[in-house]
Amino acid sequence: MSELQGLQSRLPEIQTLDAEVLAISADTPAENRRVAESAELEFPILADTQGEAMDAFGVRHRGGGLHGNDIARPAVFILDREGRITWRALTSNWRVRVRPETVLEQLERIP
């Protein structure tokens, strides 16, 4: 959740670059709502309980959850106005997360 809070803390700067933040989680809508309220997030967390977004973005970690369920590898994608991926950061280690400063640097590079 700290990566979401980090993005929240930089949200005004992200929005100044004419960008928005959207999180996607394998958790239920109720769990995502609880997380968003608890962290006071001002951006949505979408529920991907069927794993369609995980598969579309190629981040499914089969059996990586606490009870052997599938989860998404930590990832950040930046898409341009046409929906094309212009930058991405993927990791196999759930402890490694992209810093908000890196996201801002990449957003500044988009023409």
Side-chain angles (χ1 to χ4, degrees), residues 12-60:
E13 293 166 87
I14 291 169
Q15 292 170 332
T16 298
L17 294 168
D18 200 25
E20 60 184 281
V21 174
L22 173 69
I24 304 174
S25 167
D27 295 326
T28 66
E31 178 63 16
N32 288 342
R33 191 171 22 264
R34 185 194 66 75
V35 168
E37 289 172 1
S38 170
E40 299 180 358
L41 302 179
E42 297 173 19
F43 55 86
I45 304 175
L46 302 181
D48 183 32
T49 56
Q50 301 302 310
E52 294 170 358
M54 277 191 271
D55 293 336
F57 285 97
V59 297
R60 184 183 292 268

Side-chain angles (χ1 to χ4, degrees), residues 1 5 8 18 21 28 30-31 39-40 44 48 50 53 59 61 63 70 74 80-81 89 100 102 107 110:
M1 181 163 53
Q5 292 169 318
Q8 176 62 45
D18 200 25
V21 174
T28 66
E31 178 63 16
E40 299 180 358
D48 183 32
Q50 301 302 310
V59 297
H61 181 183
D70 292 355
D80 66 13
R81 290 188 189 325
T102 303
L107 286 171
I110 297 174

Side-chain angles (χ1 to χ4, degrees), residues 2-8 14 19-24 43 53-54 57-60 72-80 84-94 96-107 110:
S2 64
E3 72 277 8
L4 298 178
Q5 292 169 318
L7 289 168
Q8 176 62 45
I14 291 169
E20 60 184 281
V21 174
L22 173 69
I24 304 174
F43 55 86
M54 277 191 271
F57 285 97
V59 297
R60 184 183 292 268
R73 291 177 25 220
V76 173
F77 293 87
I78 295 178
L79 286 70
D80 66 13
R84 294 181 301 243
I85 297 171
T86 62
W87 182 82
R88 67 180 176 193
L90 305 171
T91 180
S92 295
N93 185 341
W94 63 269
V96 176
R97 305 296 173 127
V98 173
R99 300 196 45 82
E101 295 79 17
T102 303
V103 173
L104 284 165
E105 289 169 6
Q106 295 302 319
L107 286 171
I110 297 174

